[in-house]
């Protein structure tokens, strides 16, 4: 807790430098602006609101629950042409096709997931699973991710996420596929199933838990209050969850996100995303080395205005964090589960 050391991340096959003493240094760097507290419930200029007109001229329906639509500015398109052949191995390109969708969680712009009801969060989970099934029938990777807050690049104050389906396995998916496959081959048990059992027993990095799920600050966390959401049983994909597991997932998500908001009494920014076994043609393959999980990556370090920057040494050498995962977990664990608002 007091001296620097490096920790191994078996999921990414890399290391993180832990320098807990650095959190005591005075801060004279950039201060972030806290998110606005007066977001209007409905704004005709907000393209995610019911009845609003989006950039492409389409008008949103007067939706009352979740709402999914094609991204108006997609990073992936289904009919992209083949790249030209390379004349040198150092200049390679490959086809990249896919679809990008946006999913609104709720019609009200002044809500976020921790402020929604459990049935409303459960409806989000069901919509996620439906998209995974629909897009996963054709594409090998379906990435669900939420960027929450302007600090994380979210340009519209409205509860929503994105879903990108790709014709290829992205870098992180390939890496996690390799490390989990190797772990199962060497140890006979899925890596993250074994890891969840260990963390549930040790409890020093445990944040919240229930009968089906647990949330930990992983031993190898890089962001200050990073967490990992894990099922207790072996499950490969989001769409494989039972009704009761989806209910308990809604509950534990709400508990975690309330704690996040309570940490600095601010609508807590983060990027999160689900990782599960690949889909498409992989649905016919043996993927038992995979374990479903969700990553939460929040940047705030000391307060609502001081963030952790991943620059310099982190970009050029190795990721580094300024407090131990155990310290972060203890702080999150001790927070109330009633929202500060």
């Amino acid at each position: 807790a007091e001296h620097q050391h490096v920790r191994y991340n078996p999921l990414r096959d890399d290391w993180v430098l832990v320098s807990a003493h650095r959190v005591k240094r005075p801060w004279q760097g950039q201060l972030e602006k806290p998110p606005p507290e007066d977001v209007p419930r409905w704004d005709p200029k907000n393209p995610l609101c019911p009845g609003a007109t989006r950039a492409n001229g389409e008008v949103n329906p007067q939706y009352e629950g979740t709402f999914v639509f094609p991204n108006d500015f997609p990073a992936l398109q289904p009919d992209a042409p083949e790249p030209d052949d390379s004349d040198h191995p150092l200049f390679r390109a490959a086809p990249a096709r896919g679809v990008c969708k946006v999913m609104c969680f709720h019609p009200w712009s002044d809500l976020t997931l921790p402020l929604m009801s459990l049935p409303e969060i459960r409806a989000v989970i069901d919509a996620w699973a439906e998209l995974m099934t629909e897009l996963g029938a054709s594409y090998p990777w379906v990435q669900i991710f939420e960027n929450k807050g302007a600090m994380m690049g979210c340009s519209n104050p409205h509860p929503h996420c994105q879903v990108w389906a790709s014709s290829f396995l992205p870098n992180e998916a390939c890496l996690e596929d390799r490390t989990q496959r190797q772990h199962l081959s060497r140890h006979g048990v899925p890596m993250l199933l074994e890891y969840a059992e260990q963390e549930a027993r040790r409890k020093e990095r445990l944040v919240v838990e229930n009968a089906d799920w647990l949330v930990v600050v992983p031993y190898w966390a890089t962001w200050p209050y990073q967490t990992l959401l894990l099922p207790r049983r072996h499950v490969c994909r989001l769409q494989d969850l039972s009704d009761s597991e989806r209910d308990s997932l809604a509950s534990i998500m709400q508990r975690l996100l309330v704690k996040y908001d309570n940490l600095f009494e601010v609508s807590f920014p983060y990027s999160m995303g689900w990782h599960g076994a690949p889909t498409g043609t992989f649905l016919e393959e043996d993927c038992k080395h995979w374990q479903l999980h969700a990553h939460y990556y929040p940047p705030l370090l000391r307060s609502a205005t001081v963030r952790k920057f991943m620059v310099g040494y982190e970009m050029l050498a190795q990721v580094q964090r300024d407090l131990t995962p155990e310290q972060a977990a203890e702080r999150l664990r001790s927070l109330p589960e009633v929202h500060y608002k």
Side-chain angles (χ1 to χ4, degrees), residues 12-225:
R12 298 197 76 259
D13 190 24
D14 63 9
W15 295 80
V16 55
L17 172 61
V18 181
S19 310
H21 56 285
R22 274 173 55 86
V23 79
K24 299 175 183 177
R25 67 190 174 117
W27 181 258
Q28 295 180 333
Q30 178 173 319
L31 297 179
E32 308 294 334
K33 292 182 179 180
E37 297 283 344
D38 57 347
V39 175
R41 179 156 292 181
W42 185 82
D43 182 353
K45 297 179 181 178
N46 187 329
L48 300 183
C49 283
T53 302
R54 305 202 306 273
N56 63 355
E58 292 195 26
V59 178
N60 296 333
Q62 295 291 340
Y63 65 91
E64 298 180 351
T66 59
F67 170 50
V68 179
F69 61 93
N71 194 314
D72 296 330
F73 303 96
L76 293 163
Q77 295 175 323
D79 53 358
E82 296 273 340
D84 294 335
D85 292 334
S86 173
D87 62 356
H88 193 281
L90 293 179
F91 301 93
R92 291 188 296 168
R97 299 184 179 93
V99 296
C100 298
K101 294 181 179 288
V102 176
M103 183 179 123
C104 295
F105 298 154
H106 196 281
W108 295 355
S109 293
D110 57 344
L111 287 189
T112 56
L113 279 170
L115 295 172
M116 290 165 53
S117 69
L118 288 179
E120 289 169 339
I121 299 173
R122 167 63 196 266
V124 170
I125 294 167
D126 287 340
W128 281 343
E130 289 173 11
L131 283 169
M132 287 292 299
T133 301
E134 173 194 339
L135 298 175
S138 304
Y139 291 98
W141 190 255
V142 181
Q143 184 60 65
I144 296 169
F145 64 98
E146 178 192 5
N147 294 326
K148 179 171 178 274
M151 195 182 302
M152 302 310 294
C154 180
S155 58
N156 294 302
H158 193 93
H160 72 286
C161 73
Q162 297 189 55
V163 184
W164 292 12
S166 61
S167 61
F168 56 91
L169 289 187
N171 293 342
E172 291 296 311
C174 286
L175 186 55
E176 290 193 2
D177 185 72
R178 174 175 64 81
T179 57
Q180 290 181 97
R181 188 184 299 274
Q182 289 174 344
H183 188 93
L184 180 64
S185 175
R186 293 169 182 171
H187 303 283
V189 60
M191 178 199 295
L192 292 181
L193 181 62
E194 181 178 11
Y195 179 68
E197 292 170 350
Q198 286 288 323
E199 290 287 30
R201 180 174 62 82
R202 296 170 186 257
K203 296 192 181 302
E204 57 189 329
R205 286 168 295 274
L206 190 65
V207 178
V208 287
E209 63 179 330
N210 61 26
D212 300 312
W213 301 88
L214 68 158
V215 175
V216 300
V217 177
Y219 178 78
W220 53 79
T222 58
W223 293 96
Y225 293 97

Side-chain angles (χ1 to χ4, degrees), residues 215-273:
V215 175
V216 300
V217 177
Y219 178 78
W220 53 79
T222 58
W223 293 96
Y225 293 97
Q226 174 181 338
T227 54
L228 184 63
L229 172 57
L230 295 162
R232 291 184 183 271
R233 77 170 177 98
H234 185 207
V235 54
C236 290
R237 299 178 178 92
L238 192 65
Q239 58 267 45
D240 298 335
L241 297 174
S242 67
D243 279 346
S244 62
E245 287 170 332
R246 295 184 188 196
D247 286 339
S248 58
L249 175 56
S251 173
I252 204 164
M253 283 175 55
Q254 185 186 63
R255 293 169 63 195
L256 170 65
L257 297 179
V258 166
K259 284 179 178 289
Y260 269 160
D261 281 8
N262 285 344
L263 179 61
F264 299 129
E265 294 194 348
V266 67
S267 184
F268 204 67
Y270 58 75
S271 283
M272 71 81 64

